[in-house]
Amino acid sequence: MLRRAQCALLAILRVFHGANLPMNSQSDLPLSGLVVLDMSQFLSGPYATLRLQDLGARVIKIERPETGDLSRSLYLSDTEIGGDSTLFHAINRGKESLAIDLKDAGDVERLKRLIARADVLVQNFRPGVIERLGLDYDAVRAINPRIVYGSISGYGEEGPWVKRPGQDLLAQARSGVMWLSGNDGDGPVPMGLAVGDMFAGAALAQGLLAALVKRGIKGEGSHVQTSLLEALVDFQFEVLTTFLNDGRRMPKRSGFRGAHAYLSAPYGVYEASDGFIALAMTPIARLRDLMQLDALAPYCEDTASWFTSRDDIKKLIAGAISKRTVSEWLEVFEPADIWCSRVLDWNDLLASEGFNMLDMLQTVERDDDVSILTTRSPIRVNGARPSSSRAAPRVGEQSEAIIREFEL
């Protein structure tokens, strides 16, 4: 049975059902031959399809004519490349674009013919919108019973928050995660990245891959669903489980150099004379000896004080660290196997040998002289990191070619 399942899985991952696609440079990647229709926009859905694209899938973005995905004009800075934001380029590299007007009956019929020959469809419309368009899972399954259909919402499909905007900052605000960062007394501190979008996209990608395995074994499609809120709750599973089984006591963040709501001293980031150094879990007695800091003596044996007197201990450590350079402290800590690191900014990171050994940057290009330096997949397959030379598409850039190929 296992051997049969393995053979079935290899078959679905290597053979596209319904179209004879040309082999390309990604033909040996695990998802080569699969066609993914990306009807999502902004970040969460496109992040899921980016992960599939990096693993070899062919991703066709379904965009409204002329304006396309709204993230084309969602700027993180005043930099645009080829008329689109850097954000759009980063999350849509390597994809194709088919312009479809969902209010035009002819275009919708063309899309349905493409759905009949696709493997995966991803959408992140607000609940209720995709049903009004007549492209919800039940409708799509009637067209293609084997399709794997992925949906991302803000807060699920039921409940009082369903109609609320499914935006990352708002999802963070509702998830409780804002009370885990920063110092005690700071108020809620949002994370400086769109973590709800990214984690929801990653969760959806995992679910889609599992559903493709099921399809290879049983020949059946599936509907995979998640939301920003669900992904953010799962992100907190470790500390939330502690809270749920610890009398539901709210964690108290450190009032000084906060880095984790639950972990005791010395866990935090400290300012040296020329930069910053991070210290993770380390026995206080060990630090007292290495730092020759006798003021830590009262706390060495009383491990409970590492939490109850967390701020006092961290202030003593901070005072000592401020008097020497990061390099000087690393020369003390690293030979003793203390968990520590210099705190790097992006320029430091890009200049580091550790980063450059990973080879995680690539230049992607387009025929209108667009060239953008961006990241590569975080996943390596058989020791090699997938790469792509194609930049994000213009709106409808591949429409004519896709229409001809699929006879739409």
Side-chain angles (χ1 to χ4, degrees):
M1 172 65 76
L2 178 59
R3 176 63 178 167
R4 186 169 63 189
Q6 289 172 332
C7 291
L9 175 59
L10 287 173
I12 66 159
L13 294 182
R14 291 177 177 171
V15 179
F16 172 65
H17 302 280
N20 296 317
L21 300 180
M23 299 294 281
N24 56 44
S25 60
Q26 293 187 301
S27 62
D28 59 342
L29 290 174
L31 301 185
S32 176
L34 293 181
V35 169
V36 177
L37 304 185
D38 184 358
M39 294 186 65
S40 63
Q41 58 182 345
F42 289 119
L43 300 179
S44 59
Y47 183 77
T49 60
L50 177 66
R51 290 281 76 88
L52 302 183
Q53 187 270 336
D54 279 337
L55 289 170
R58 179 183 183 182
V59 178
I60 300 174
K61 280 187 70 68
I62 307 301
E63 299 191 84
R64 68 189 72 187
E66 297 182 5
T67 57
D69 185 333
L70 293 177
S71 73
R72 287 180 180 273
S73 56
L74 182 61
Y75 294 99
L76 298 179
S77 71
D78 58 0
T79 299
E80 70 171 37
I81 300 176
D84 297 313
S85 69
T86 54
L87 172 63
F88 178 83
H89 280 286
I91 208 163
N92 291 290
R93 55 178 167 77
K95 301 177 185 178
E96 301 172 41
S97 176
L98 171 64
I100 291 288
D101 183 353
L102 294 176
K103 296 180 180 180
D104 181 277
D107 269 13
V108 172
E109 285 304 312
R110 181 176 286 124
L111 176 59
K112 288 180 177 179
R113 290 196 292 273
L114 183 58
I115 287 171
R117 301 172 66 180
D119 297 283
V120 178
L121 186 150
V122 172
Q123 64 88 19
N124 64 352
F125 289 99
R126 280 197 197 185
V129 174
I130 198 71
E131 288 79 6
R132 291 197 297 273
L133 293 171
L135 293 169
D136 54 284
Y137 175 59
D138 287 338
V140 167
R141 181 174 57 177
I143 299 169
N144 182 351
R146 291 172 52 84
I147 201 160
V148 172
Y149 188 106
S151 299
I152 298 180
S153 62
Y155 313 101
E157 284 71 39
E158 298 178 347
W161 294 343
V162 166
K163 300 298 183 182
R164 302 293 175 88
Q167 191 274 335
D168 188 272
L169 182 66
L170 308 183
Q172 285 193 48
R174 291 188 171 100
S175 72
V177 74
M178 289 187 182
W179 294 102
L180 298 176
S181 298
N183 293 331
D184 188 42
D186 281 348
V189 178
M191 298 193 71
L193 295 167
V195 289
D197 284 305
M198 298 301 106
F199 285 123
L204 186 70
Q206 293 172 29
L208 294 172
L209 293 173
L212 286 168
V213 173
K214 174 192 171 185
R215 191 183 78 169
I217 296 171
K218 297 185 177 181
E220 302 171 358
S222 300
H223 186 191
V224 180
Q225 298 166 279
T226 192
S227 67
L228 304 191
L229 183 61
E230 288 167 283
L232 285 168
V233 169
D234 177 66
F235 178 44
Q236 302 172 82
F237 77 95
E238 182 182 12
V239 292
L240 190 55
T241 300
T242 298
F243 168 76
L244 292 172
N245 294 277
D246 188 31
R248 300 203 174 190
R249 294 184 296 166
M250 287 295 294
K252 183 177 175 59
R253 294 173 292 176
S254 175
F256 179 77
R257 294 291 177 188
H260 194 289
Y262 278 101
L263 294 181
S264 63
Y267 199 91
V269 175
Y270 299 88
E271 186 172 7
S273 63
D274 66 341
F276 291 84
I277 186 170
L279 286 177
M281 290 79 73
T282 303
I284 298 302
R286 190 87 172 104
L287 285 182
R288 177 201 58 189
D289 295 341
L290 288 169
M291 299 178 71
Q292 299 179 3
L293 187 56
D294 292 338
L296 291 176
Y299 307 104
C300 289
E301 304 303 324
D302 181 9
T303 56
S305 70
W306 301 359
F307 187 86
T308 58
S309 300
R310 176 171 57 181
D311 290 352
D312 294 331
I313 295 171
K314 291 169 77 172
K315 287 176 182 177
L316 291 172
I317 294 170
I321 285 180
S322 68
K323 297 175 182 177
R324 300 169 70 176
T325 67
V326 172
S327 294
E328 288 173 327
W329 283 118
L330 291 177
E331 289 172 1
V332 172
F333 292 147
E334 288 184 333
D337 199 27
I338 298 299
W339 291 6
C340 63
S341 174
R342 182 188 300 272
V343 178
L344 307 180
D345 62 21
W346 284 340
N347 286 319
D348 297 330
L349 172 68
L350 295 179
S352 68
E353 181 181 3
F355 174 77
N356 286 300
M357 287 293 293
L358 294 174
D359 192 22
M360 284 199 67
L361 298 181
Q362 63 183 347
T363 298
V364 293
E365 299 176 330
R366 212 167 58 194
D367 61 10
D368 58 349
D369 296 325
V370 161
S371 177
I372 182 169
L373 181 64
T374 187
T375 57
R376 296 175 65 188
S377 170
I379 299 168
R380 282 166 281 152
V381 180
N382 296 326
R385 191 182 307 283
S387 63
S388 173
S389 61
R390 194 173 71 230
R394 299 184 296 275
V395 177
E397 181 178 349
Q398 288 80 24
S399 289
E400 291 186 9
I402 292 169
I403 290 169
R404 286 196 304 270
E405 177 184 349
F406 290 91
E407 300 177 347
L408 304 179

